[in-house]
Amino acid sequence: MASRDLAQMRKDALDIFRAGVQAVEPEAAVKQYCRREGNRLLVHQKVYDLAEFERIYVIGAGKAGAPMARAVEETLGDRITEGLINVKYGHLARLSRVKVTEAGHPVPDEAGLEGARAILDLASRAEKQDMVLCLISGGGSALLPLPAEGLSLQDKQDTTKVLLACGATIHEINAVRKHISRVKGGDLARAAYPATLISLILSDVVGDDLDVIASGTTVPDSTSFQDCMNIFDKYGIREKVPETILDHIRKGIDGKVPETPKPADPVFTRTQSVIVGSNLACVVAAEKKARSVGYHTLVLSTMIEGETREVARVHAGIAKEILKSGHPLSPPACVLSGGETTVTITGQGLGGRNQEFVLAAAMGLSAVPAQAGLKGREGIVVLSAGTDGTDGPTDAAGAVADSRTIERAQALGLNPADFLFDNDAYHFFEKLGDLVKTGPTNTNVMDLRIMLICCAQQ
Amino acid sequence: MASRDLAQMRKDALDIFRAGVQAVEPEAAVKQYCRREGNRLLVHQKVYDLAEFERIYVIGAGKAGAPMARAVEETLGDRITEGLINVKYGHLARLSRVKVTEAGHPVPDEAGLEGARAILDLASRAEKQDMVLCLISGGGSALLPLPAEGLSLQDKQDTTKVLLACGATIHEINAVRKHISRVKGGDLARAAYPATLISLILSDVVGDDLDVIASGTTVPDSTSFQDCMNIFDKYGIREKVPETILDHIRKGIDGKVPETPKPADPVFTRTQSVIVGSNLACVVAAEKKARSVGYHTLVLSTMIEGETREVARVHAGIAKEILKSGHPLSPPACVLSGGETTVTITGQGLGGRNQEFVLAAAMGLSAVPAQAGLKGREGIVVLSAGTDGTDGPTDAAGAVADSRTIERAQALGLNPADFLFDNDAYHFFEKLGDLVKTGPTNTNVMDLRIMLICCAQQ
């Protein structure tokens, strides 16, 4: 099957995308890592004897909270004592024991704050012979907003804005966030202690850093109040940060407010954190599907970041090399990558990073010179889409293109460079009928990019 | 050897780089593809009976012309009737039969024009029972400047400037170049016809497109005079192009100036073009070396283009994934890539694309979060250098960094982001003693990037 037609390859790409998303569907993901066999609860590599636990509480926050809770309900049934989760407005599922609070995302609101307070109370009520299951997914940080005592939501938001504007890294922003919150940086784990705390996490961040996902609600924090002040000084933003926040940080430095729990804290002798779904799981499932339909496969990386159109050029360079020399693998080939790129918006158009990726990749492929031994230029398909079914402020998850896309566009009088320049990939692919629309998938592990490369049909 | 120390890995990276460059050293490259066995001359997959040829002429242009000619002299000795090549000032080698003209590069000059005229005359003198060996290498286009009749060098240069400024592609620029030159777009091949013409080519362009290398001096041209006018109109630059050039193009459209030879032209029944050295050959030789010292290897692509710092982030993402999940290959791993990236200069510093690549990659690697299961972050080395031994306007070929570089820099009070922002990678690596200096290598097949990834030392 060295050659297959473009229509078949496009169908393959969509099938591969769907297989990837299916593997990280929240219910399936939770059930894969959290299984019950009679009185034994198997969570990844650990076994819990349910007979030893008096009460089981379910808490959590995130956009995928409801279907995750549903999986837990189906697994533990009436063993669940009580449950309380915060989800984004409208992100519901049929639940019988776990109570859902709908709250604001990406901007936190009062509903989220009320819900977070109730969740913290529930965790605090758990005792040594209890189990707390904590369900974390994308959006968990904004959906669990609980400022430290004396601070307001507005103070927190203003501080985040100042940090974003000064160019602080995500790790620096998180260090501060953790020290002005009552649930982040391991504080929720401290509340649950000495109960057994199991966190089931659907990761939506590059690298699956537990410290970053939902600002490390249930894991140790290695940063300090002093670090926060150093960060303010490093960027010279002390006078821009709200005075209440500065006061709080100063109190922390003086030991008047407790530090976040550190890695050696006894709290973490009774915790387990399991990533039940991630970009890697999605990409690996997609790879399995690609192999099953006859492609040689290569998982490039799930930690791809950077300016979208430049990342696309690198991907195009890899596809061209596969056709030219069979490096890094020979056709029929499927190259997969994940992660989340960024788009520096300079235009007025409509699009998202996935659609822009596909447009820039298609342009990179069309620059294949005919004499370069690349007779197979017609044999490339590129698909990129958000696993949550959305891409930027559009109704599409992404787009699909092939090595004839640019010619087809030009025949319709469309200049691809104009659309790229205007960040208008949506209208480009809309006119070609090449948007990928899946509707909401209820999950989110960032993006999945698929390139299929086959030899030319003879 | 899952773990080896950073010092050893740095040494490995340099050895791998040297092995790559050695494989495309001009003399070695020519001799590999052009061997003599008695009266038989073996050129790639063809065999020529030297007894059938009366005269053998050697012509050519390019920075590596002299060592390439030396290899031909050593192969054919006194069978060479006469030879004439254009090289860049100072790019000489000891030659006994082939005459060298030193000329201007990258800006063509009168010396180059004189030399080109003599080369064209020599090719024209060749007859059916003669052989012409044409040696092409990087810089061949500027070093073989011969405007069509009635046009001046200045006219040509002005036209190129207008095309570059309007955003025309390299293929569009070349289409025009070929139609205002007496040697490009296959015209040199036409001059040599009906002699047998063998072109030995050291490629310095991404994709090794024969049509692009030295503006396709000895290969068919698929563009036309009408295409040139269409390009002027597409970008609305007709009034900016010198009137003499427009006149010439119009004459061509009217059939008053001959078209460049097309693929079906009988000229090309008597030509052979062989790429004796390329980025791919360099990368593959480097790969072989890496394998021999114990690394799993992956040739990512030799067709890597794009904004350097973004390309570096993608490379860093791949290295991090190798440590995290063993995709796309498991440590100890060597990932190789080639091609030529670009740098959009916004700062005032000193550097080159290779040094900037290494700086940006090191920064990308240092963003590895400790909790992401990446215990092996200390096990990464990145080297990028120009195969010609130069990188931008510096005396370095490139730089080398490892996963401790950013910490070392910070300990010295250097802020890597400042140096990147100022395009000042040279001074960053100079202070760390991490510049790679090789001196001129006499060859040029663009850049070689090497990433070595090993597990942490326990």
Side-chain angles (χ1 to χ4, degrees), chain A residues 171 207-209 280 298-303 305-307 310 313 317-318 320-321 324-325 327-328 369 371-372, chain B residues 171 207-209 280 298-303 305-307 310 313 317-318 320-321 324-325 327-328 369 371-372:
Chain A
H171 293 280
D208 305 326
D209 188 354
L280 184 60
L298 182 95
V299 171
L300 191 62
S301 175
T302 65
M303 299 170 91
E305 299 175 278
E307 183 65 33
E310 302 297 330
R313 286 184 81 177
I318 294 168
K320 288 188 277 188
E321 188 69 50
K324 188 188 179 208
S325 73
H327 287 103
Q371 275 96 331
Chain B
H171 293 280
D208 305 327
D209 188 354
L280 183 61
L298 182 94
V299 172
L300 191 62
S301 175
T302 65
M303 299 169 92
E305 298 175 279
E307 184 65 33
E310 302 296 331
R313 287 185 80 177
I318 294 169
K320 288 189 277 187
E321 188 69 50
K324 189 189 179 207
S325 73
H327 286 104
Q371 276 95 331

Side-chain angles (χ1 to χ4, degrees), chain A residues 308-320:
Chain A
T308 301
R309 63 188 66 188
E310 302 297 330
V311 174
R313 286 184 81 177
V314 174
H315 278 69
I318 294 168
K320 288 188 277 188

Side-chain angles (χ1 to χ4, degrees), chain A residues 16-66:
Chain A
I16 291 165
F17 177 73
R18 279 192 211 101
V21 171
Q22 210 167 13
V24 290
E25 191 276 322
E27 280 195 57
V30 167
K31 285 181 181 169
Q32 198 189 338
Y33 282 89
C34 180
R35 285 183 304 118
R36 183 178 178 179
E37 290 179 2
N39 248 349
R40 295 171 357 129
L41 185 68
L42 292 80
V43 183
H44 199 208
Q45 286 154 349
K46 276 198 177 176
V47 181
Y48 298 89
D49 182 353
L50 291 176
E52 289 177 3
F53 293 94
E54 268 185 31
R55 284 167 294 263
I56 299 181
Y57 297 114
V58 179
I59 59 173
K63 286 188 270 180

Side-chain angles (χ1 to χ4, degrees), chain A residues 21-22 29 40 97 134 137-138 156 161 173 176 194 246 282 307 334 361 365 373 383 427-428 431 433 451:
Chain A
V21 171
Q22 210 167 13
R40 295 171 357 129
R97 300 191 157 259
C134 183
S137 54
K156 279 189 68 177
K161 263 184 220 158
I173 295 172
V176 175
L246 283 179
C282 169
E307 183 65 33
C334 174
L365 295 174
L383 185 152
H427 291 120
F428 181 81
K431 287 183 177 74
M451 292 198 301

